[in-house]
Structures are given as structure tokens and as C-alpha cells.
Amino acid sequence: MKDRILATAAVLFMAGATAQAQERTLTISVYAFVQDAYAKIVYQPFEKECGCKLVVETGNSAERLTKMEVNKAEPVIDMAVMSMADALSAARQGLVDKVDTSKLSNFVRLYDIAKDPNQDGMSVGYTFYATSIAYRSDKVKITSWNDLLSKQLAGRVALPNITTNQGPPALYMLGLAMGKDTPDLKASIDAVGEHRNDIVTFYNRSSQLVQLMEQDEIWAAPIGRFAWAPLRKLDVPIKWATPKEGQTGGLNVMVVTRGSKNRDLALQLMDFWLSTKVQTDLANALVDSPANKDVEVSPEVAENITYGAETAANVKLIPSAVELANRENWLSEWNAKVQQ
């Protein structure tokens, strides 16, 4: 009897150990915002599908790039989301692997802008956003990026700081409006420097603009579409400009860490995240604008996100290589001409 009990215990122990060994863990690094929504729409459903456990680390794009650099020899994350430029930097440092798009059934559903953003096969876009000018339509009319530095907006305009994601794209579009299409952004930085006393603030967070607009301190500011919903809720008339030079914006991408022992799971999560259902749910929750072209949303939702094939085809993005080559010079020029 004793031998039979011991044998049974051994079998149960081995079964438990086998089950424990089969439960795999995928560690990902993502942006910190709206994690409750991501947990409900992405993380928890994926865990049920894969029979695995997700460990989620949060931070900004630059922070996770630094962590990947520090742990290059022994990676501590399997998959990450980051900006296009940081993804290119990671690829150049040998921190990420080529994405095997043959394992992504939803790859064909992506807008062209998201399929291979850096033209190196090392990342796939999962959300993009337009950047334009939000303005008080009862006070002014915006038809060009040049209007930001016009007399009618002197003392009534906010601009993004050069160190924010919105800073360089807004300066790029301002340069285009001035007839200057150069990666040094010199013309637009010089122009902002000349008008710096007319700028109410150089904002670091888009949330700052809500109070400024509500209190009638500013009438216009460049913003990303992801920051549009809070402004639309204000009890003042605000419109989204369609400048004649077009709109700029940004794209966030997914990468697989080189040396990950869970590459197959990472690709499975990427495919799940890019699916029409998940991208639709994220769009309806006003979390992310969809990179999946099959997503359909109501007009009300579309008003609050970056949406549609026409928008995806016409957003003017700064190439990542241009941004990496010019970041330090942009900051140096900005500090000298604007923040003096």
C-alpha cells in the first residue's frame, strides 16, 4: 500500500512539474498609458489563446531602448513596441531580429505605411497617428502651417517642445509651408526663434493644452490625433485643421528582441494584436488608431482617431534615418535660437 501511495504521489508530482514546464512566459515592454484597456482587449484574451503568461513592463520608447542596450548579451524582454526611430536605432545596434512576416496572417491587412516602416524588415507598425493644428474656430481660421506664426495668433499659440514626439514633425511641416524641405529644420527653428515671444508656451505634454484652450489663453496648437478627444469635449468651438501643406504624424511599431527564447510566442502576440477584431476593439475604446485597413468604426469614433486609407496614404512622416542623423543638431539649434 505504501509503495502504491508513493507511486501515485510521484505521478502527480511529475504531472504538475510537466504542466508547470509547459506554461511559457512572454515578457513585453510597452507604453504606460491605458494599460487597463490593453489588459482587457489584448493581454488577457491572448493569454487564453496561447496558454501562456504575459509579463508586461511599461515605460517610454527611449527607456526601453536603453534597457535593451544594457541587456543585449542576455535579453530580459521578448517583444517591444516603440517609435519608428528608436526601432531603427535598435536594429542598427543588433538588438532586434528580422520579423518573419510569413508567420503573421494579418500582415496583408495592414496599410502600406505599417508593413515595413523603416524599410529594413525589422519592425511592423501597429498604430499611427496624424498631427495637425487644433484651433478655436470662433477666433481664427487655420489653412496653413504658416498661420501658427501669423499676427492673428501672436500671444495666442502654443508649440510643442523640440524634445517631444510632436516637436520635429510640427517644425518639419512649418518648414514645408515656408518652402524649405530640408532635414536640418533650420528655417523653421530660426522662424520660431524670431517669434518666441509670441508663443504662450512650448508644451511638453498635450494635456497642458486643454486648460490653456479652455481658459482662452491659446487659440491654436499642433497636436497628435490621440490628444484630440479631450479638446473636443471642451465647451468652446474647436476644429481640426486640414492645412494645404498636409498633415504629419507618427507611427509606433513592434519589434522582436534578438536572442529571445520565445520568438514564436512574440510573433503570435504580434499577429493577435494586428487582427481585425483586436484593432477594432482598440479603436472603439479610443486607445489606438488602427494600422489594419479592414477595421471599420462609426463616424463618431473616426472623429477621435486617425482613420482611413486616404489619411494613411497622405500622412507625411519624417524618415527614421533622418531623425537619428539630426536629433542632436535639432536640439542644439533649438537651445541656441529658441530656449536662449
Side-chain angles (χ1 to χ4, degrees):
M1 177 65 72
K2 182 178 179 182
D3 290 342
R4 198 176 292 173
I5 292 173
L6 289 173
T8 302
V11 169
L12 292 173
F13 175 79
M14 291 176 65
T18 301
Q20 187 174 15
Q22 289 175 344
E23 184 183 48
R24 299 172 63 189
T25 299
L26 182 70
T27 303
I28 65 174
S29 183
V30 300
Y31 293 102
F33 63 90
V34 291
Q35 282 300 293
D36 288 345
Y38 275 119
K40 180 179 179 181
I41 297 170
V42 182
Y43 308 153
Q44 294 167 4
F46 179 72
E47 286 181 321
K48 290 181 180 179
E49 178 179 288
C50 71
C52 63
K53 179 182 179 182
L54 273 184
V55 175
V56 181
E57 297 184 357
T58 60
N60 63 39
S61 185
E63 288 170 345
R64 71 179 53 95
L65 177 59
T66 299
K67 187 168 186 177
M68 291 171 73
E69 292 168 353
V70 171
N71 296 284
K72 181 177 181 179
E74 296 185 19
V76 294
I77 59 174
D78 299 300
M79 193 202 88
V81 303
M82 54 180 52
S83 69
M84 277 176 58
D86 284 340
L88 179 59
S89 179
R92 288 178 173 179
Q93 296 178 67
L95 302 174
V96 295
D97 274 331
K98 183 161 284 193
V99 178
D100 185 355
T101 57
S102 69
K103 301 288 181 63
L104 304 179
S105 63
N106 293 298
F107 183 76
V108 296
R109 295 184 172 87
L110 300 180
Y111 291 117
D112 289 342
I113 192 177
K115 287 182 176 178
D116 188 10
N118 288 324
Q119 301 299 302
D120 59 0
M122 309 296 274
S123 62
V124 174
Y126 70 95
T127 185
F128 71 107
Y129 60 86
T131 292
S132 188
I133 304 166
Y135 68 98
R136 284 281 300 271
S137 57
D138 58 330
K139 303 291 186 180
V140 294
K141 184 176 182 180
I142 301 291
T143 60
S144 168
W145 285 85
N146 257 336
D147 292 337
L148 291 170
L149 302 181
S150 65
K151 289 184 179 179
Q152 64 176 341
L153 280 177
R156 295 289 188 176
V157 65
L159 295 180
N161 198 312
I162 188 70
T163 57
T164 67
N165 287 338
Q166 304 308 303
L171 288 169
Y172 173 65
M173 296 307 296
L174 184 57
L176 284 184
M178 299 166 60
K180 304 292 184 181
D181 186 3
T182 56
D184 57 20
L185 303 182
K186 186 178 186 309
S188 51
I189 291 176
D190 285 348
V192 171
E194 293 172 6
H195 291 268
R196 64 183 180 278
N197 293 329
D198 296 333
I199 312 302
V200 174
T201 186
F202 295 101
Y203 73 86
N204 292 305
R205 299 182 306 278
S206 57
S207 58
Q208 296 173 249
L209 302 178
V210 176
Q211 185 175 2
L212 291 172
M213 197 78 78
E214 185 175 36
Q215 296 179 347
D216 202 35
E217 294 185 52
I218 63 170
W219 294 345
I223 64 165
R225 192 70 172 186
F226 56 82
W228 175 233
L231 289 174
R232 288 189 73 236
K233 294 177 181 178
L234 296 178
D235 192 24
V236 292
I238 298 177
K239 286 189 176 181
W240 180 269
T242 53
K244 58 186 179 183
E245 301 86 11
Q247 300 180 63
T248 181
L251 178 75
N252 288 327
V253 303
M254 299 174 171
V255 296
V256 179
T257 308
R258 178 164 293 180
S260 166
K261 295 180 176 61
N262 296 294
R263 180 181 177 80
D264 58 335
L265 270 183
L267 290 170
Q268 188 179 344
L269 173 59
M270 291 171 70
D271 198 37
F272 182 82
W273 203 321
L274 297 174
S275 68
T276 303
K277 181 184 185 319
V278 170
Q279 292 258 307
T280 300
D281 289 346
L282 289 170
N284 283 328
L286 305 183
V287 172
D288 278 335
S289 297
N292 183 320
K293 62 187 177 184
D294 291 343
V295 170
E296 296 183 5
V297 298
S298 68
E300 292 76 20
V301 171
E303 272 295 309
N304 289 288
I305 61 176
T306 302
Y307 178 72
E310 183 178 353
T311 301
N314 291 291
V315 170
K316 294 179 172 66
L317 301 178
I318 296 179
S320 298
V322 171
E323 182 171 343
L324 293 182
N326 289 276
R327 271 177 176 173
E328 291 185 9
N329 185 59
W330 290 343
L331 182 57
S332 177
E333 286 291 302
W334 180 270
N335 288 338
K337 305 288 180 60
V338 180
Q339 302 282 25
Q340 55 180 311

